[in-house]
Amino acid sequence: MKRHEAREKALQTLFQLEGTELTINEAMDHVMAGENDNFYDLLVQGTYTNMATIDEKLVDHLENWSIERLPKIERTILRMAIFELEYMEDAPARVVMNEAIELCKTFGDDKSSRFVNGVLSKFTDETAN
């Protein structure tokens, strides 16, 4: 599976987990239908496990927004991107940002990609310094 497809499926899994009674394994089985992909597993497990820490980092880069007020799709995409940027050394920041923007264009509304780009730009600018 290509990384872009794995990111799409990870987004669907993490989106599904929020606000449901599903376990992480049930959500993964539902989305993957028996398929296995190491990158997908790492992205879902890592984002889900580190969500509290990711949210702390994310909240510092939101202007006039709280985590709870963010639309669910943008919140999930931002969490995944920050996981990749912070925890995965083989993920170049530009690639992660471009992938997040593409996910917004596919799953979000007209303003999603600009919003996510702005938040991730602040995040990567700050972490680069």
Side-chain angles (χ1 to χ4, degrees), residues 9-64:
K9 289 187 180 287
L11 173 63
Q12 292 167 355
T13 303
L14 292 165
F15 187 89
Q16 190 175 60
L17 280 169
E18 192 171 332
T20 66
E21 299 296 318
L22 291 175
T23 67
I24 190 168
N25 289 333
E26 290 169 339
M28 291 173 76
D29 287 343
H30 177 75
V31 170
M32 293 298 282
E35 281 186 76
N36 288 324
D37 184 83
N38 290 336
F39 181 70
Y40 163 84
D41 289 344
L42 179 61
L43 200 51
V44 172
Q45 298 275 1
T47 303
Y48 190 76
T49 303
N50 295 292
M51 197 173 306
T53 305
I54 290 167
D55 284 354
E56 287 175 19
K57 293 172 188 288
L58 181 56
V59 92
D60 293 337
H61 299 88
L62 297 174
E63 290 182 19
N64 303 318

Side-chain angles (χ1 to χ4, degrees), residues 86-101:
E86 286 289 294
Y87 296 92
M88 298 178 71
E89 294 178 9
D90 69 335
R94 275 187 135 19
V95 171
V96 173
M97 288 178 66
N98 286 339
E99 286 288 328
I101 291 165

